[in-house]
Amino acid sequence: MSFSGKVAVVTGSTSGIGHAIAEALAGEGARVVINSFSDTEADRAIADRLAKAHGVEARYIPADMSKPEQCRALVERTAAEFGSIDILVNNAGIQHVSPIEDFPTDKWDAIIAINLSSNFHTTAAVIPGMKAKGWGRIVNIASAHGLRASPNKSAYVAAKHGVVGLTKTAALELAGSGVTANAVCPGFVLTPLVETQIQDRMKEHEGMDREELVRDVILEKQPSKQFATVEQIAGSVMFLCSAAADQITGTTISVDGGWTAA
Ligand code: NAD
């Protein structure tokens, strides 16, 4: 699997799953754009490290995925600096846990904007270039929560179900163009996003040790009782970008230890 010369943009790629996807793509020769909303030396250092480690061009481009114009600007700036975009991975995402009646409106708005609407804006912006080239890959990082609900995660569940719907619609609109659109649906993956949930749950379940809490509370719905790894999520993205997946479009790949089998 070589992506030598292909240009890939991964939103929210300074941490966790997005970082692993960018690393995997760079490892196969892709030129990668690392993104987050901040603009620091540490952000640029992530791109520099990937470039050095894999002998590819890697650049950090800041853009806040809660802002429609910045989503589109990320695509436009990448196309201007790299010539075109072959692979778009919509990965940026946040979480907030609260019952609906107490769910803060600003958190709802932020989750819908970052986890769902950004996917629409970046996808809209990459489509003309990918169609013109007759090749492209759009991979959206949805979630098991794109297929199933859990209490207290209304915005996240709504956004991720929306991502799956957007993915299917894009696939139908792009069918036959050489551009595919698919979603990867991870179960629980141990990243900073989930570490926050573990810390919050430990406060609620005083007396439970971490191992017990992870098995019985966090991984309650994940039958394997094991976290998926960021590398395993990246592996599914790599497969969807490969020639073997040319005819796979408008679907989801679950990497969830059996969660959605039930
Ligand atoms: P993470 O917190 O480790 O990383 C999130 C990344 O998104 C970071 O680089 C962060 O800087 C970036 N980001 C946050 N807000 C942003 C904004 N406004 N603009 C641009 N970038 C922004 O989280 P993660 O666990 O790696 O999650 C990545 C994706 O995977 C998310 O979409 C998440 O919903 C999804 N996911 C995660 C899990 C899990 O268990 N960790 C499970 C299913 C789906």
Side-chain angles (χ1 to χ4, degrees):
M1 201 188 293
S2 171
F3 296 117
S4 186
K6 297 251 188 263
V7 177
V9 181
V10 185
T11 70
S13 42
T14 55
S15 166
I17 293 170
H19 183 263
I21 294 167
E23 176 113 49
L25 287 162
E28 293 299 334
R31 301 158 74 201
V32 292
V33 169
I34 306 297
N35 156 263
S36 185
F37 55 88
S38 50
D39 191 7
T40 65
E41 265 315 305
D43 294 326
R44 287 182 285 278
I46 293 169
D48 292 345
R49 191 194 66 75
L50 283 188
K52 261 200 206 106
H54 302 288
V56 295
E57 199 177 345
R59 208 168 293 176
Y60 180 76
I61 302 186
D64 184 342
M65 292 299 105
S66 69
K67 308 259 175 4
E69 64 286 356
Q70 292 195 30
C71 298
R72 290 173 188 261
L74 172 66
V75 169
E76 282 153 20
R77 194 172 147 194
T78 304
E81 292 183 17
F82 286 80
S84 61
I85 298 172
D86 304 287
I87 297 167
L88 168 67
V89 182
N90 283 309
N91 166 81
I94 59 168
Q95 175 63 287
H96 184 79
V97 179
S98 169
I100 294 172
E101 65 269 33
D102 302 328
F103 210 97
T105 302
D106 62 331
K107 295 281 185 206
W108 170 274
D109 288 344
I111 290 175
I112 297 300
I114 296 167
N115 295 22
L116 173 59
S117 301
S118 71
N119 290 222
F120 163 73
H121 296 296
T122 53
T123 298
V126 293
I127 282 176
M130 287 184 176
K131 267 167 112 173
K133 275 186 121 179
W135 197 93
R137 292 288 194 259
I138 299 166
V139 183
N140 297 325
I141 307 304
S143 168
H145 283 121
L147 305 167
R148 298 286 187 277
S150 291
N152 304 326
K153 296 185 174 175
S154 54
Y156 191 86
V157 169
K160 294 299 187 179
H161 274 67
V163 169
V164 172
L166 173 68
T167 306
K168 292 179 187 176
T169 306
L172 291 177
E173 292 185 16
L174 293 165
S177 69
V179 184
T180 66
N182 292 288
V184 175
C185 293
F188 277 101
V189 185
L190 191 53
T191 65
L193 183 140
V194 167
E195 187 57 43
T196 308
Q197 293 179 52
I198 295 175
Q199 296 308 323
D200 290 347
R201 288 299 191 101
M202 285 190 79
K203 285 177 213 146
E204 286 167 25
H205 294 81
E206 271 179 45
M208 246 191 190
D209 69 25
R210 184 185 166 99
E211 200 183 321
E212 217 182 336
L213 181 111
V214 164
R215 186 189 61 230
D216 298 341
V217 179
I218 301 289
L219 297 179
E220 183 197 358
K221 293 181 174 169
Q222 198 147 308
S224 66
K225 298 293 172 196
Q226 291 165 350
F227 287 111
T229 66
V230 294
E231 291 80 11
Q232 289 162 356
I233 308 305
S236 291
V237 174
M238 297 298 278
F239 167 65
L240 288 170
C241 292
S242 74
D246 272 353
Q247 289 301 320
I248 299 180
T249 194
T251 196
T252 57
I253 295 186
S254 290
V255 189
D256 65 4
W259 178 341
T260 52

